[in-house]
Amino acid sequence: MKDEWCIQGRGIARRFVEQSPAMGRWFSVYASRVENRKEERVALLFTDIQGQVIFVNNVLLKMLGRGETEIRGLIGRPVHEVLGLRPEATRQLIQEVARIGRVYNRALDLVDRDGRVIPVSCTGEATYDEKGACIGADLSFRTVSEVVFAAVPLAGTAGSMDTSDRTYLQ
C-alpha cells in the first residue's frame, strides 16, 4: 500500500480508488492538502469496524510527532489511543461513518506524543466488503489554519451600525 499519495494541482482535494493486494482490499481515498502547500500530502489512518488501527501513513506519524519505527506498534491499537481522542468521540465518529458511509470536515483535536493539541479537519469514508457490509473506516486529516476574526465595532461606538429601529431581513 502506498503512503506517498499526493494531491494533484494546487491543494484541491481528490478522490481515487486503489487496490492493495497485500491487504486484500480496495481503498476509496479522499485526499486533501495538509499543512505545507509544497508537500501537499494527506495524513491517513484506516481502521477496522471495532476502531482498531490497520494502517497509518508517514504524514500522520509526523503530524503526531512519531517516528517511522513506531508504525508497527500502532497497528492493532484503538484509534483513540493513537490520535489522543476521547474513546466516546472516536466511537461516535466510526459509528457515523459506518451508518452514513462518510463524514466530511469533522473538526477534531488530535493530541501528539508531547501532549500538544492539533486542530484538524477529518474526512472519513466507510470501507465495505464484497457483500456490502461496512468493515471499517478510512480517515484523512488536514490541519486547520488559525481563524482570523474581523473586528466589529460594538453597538453605540464610533463606526457601529444603528439597527435599533429597523430590520433588514423582514
Side-chain angles (χ1 to χ4, degrees):
M1 178 60 104
K2 291 185 209 173
D3 67 345
E4 297 289 325
W5 292 318
C6 294
I7 308 303
Q8 302 299 314
R10 297 182 178 187
I12 297 172
R14 184 166 176 230
R15 180 178 301 282
F16 56 93
V17 176
E18 185 169 314
Q19 182 181 21
S20 169
M23 296 180 80
R25 293 175 59 178
W26 282 87
F27 294 95
S28 173
V29 178
Y30 177 80
S32 61
R33 184 173 53 84
V34 176
E35 293 180 14
N36 189 340
R37 284 187 182 202
K38 291 177 185 174
E39 290 183 13
E40 295 187 355
R41 295 176 59 187
V42 65
L44 299 171
L45 181 143
F46 300 162
T47 75
D48 61 17
I49 197 65
Q50 288 82 31
Q52 305 298 310
V53 174
I54 60 172
F55 173 84
V56 295
N57 71 350
N58 292 336
V59 178
L60 184 64
L61 290 174
K62 184 177 175 183
M63 184 186 288
L64 297 173
R66 296 178 179 270
E68 290 182 26
T69 57
E70 297 179 70
I71 197 164
R72 285 201 171 115
L74 300 177
I75 303 301
R77 288 187 50 201
V79 173
H80 71 271
E81 289 180 10
V82 174
L83 300 179
L85 298 171
R86 291 186 352 264
E88 180 62 21
T90 304
R91 187 185 62 76
Q92 287 175 351
L93 174 66
I94 292 177
Q95 283 181 349
E96 187 172 346
V97 170
R99 187 178 75 248
I100 299 171
R102 65 182 52 106
V103 294
Y104 291 108
N105 298 323
R106 169 73 56 86
L108 293 174
D109 287 333
L110 307 184
V111 179
D112 73 6
R113 78 165 340 144
D114 296 323
R116 287 186 294 260
V117 174
I118 307 161
V120 298
S121 176
C122 173
T123 296
E125 187 82 26
T127 304
Y128 300 96
D129 66 11
E130 63 280 350
K131 295 178 184 173
C134 181
I135 58 170
D138 300 345
L139 306 175
S140 64
F141 306 92
R142 61 184 170 88
T143 57
V144 177
S145 300
E146 287 187 40
V147 178
V148 178
F149 295 97
V152 178
L154 296 173
T157 63
S160 66
M161 182 171 22
D162 176 17
T163 59
S164 59
D165 61 345
R166 59 193 167 277
T167 304
Y168 296 101
L169 298 176
Q170 294 179 343

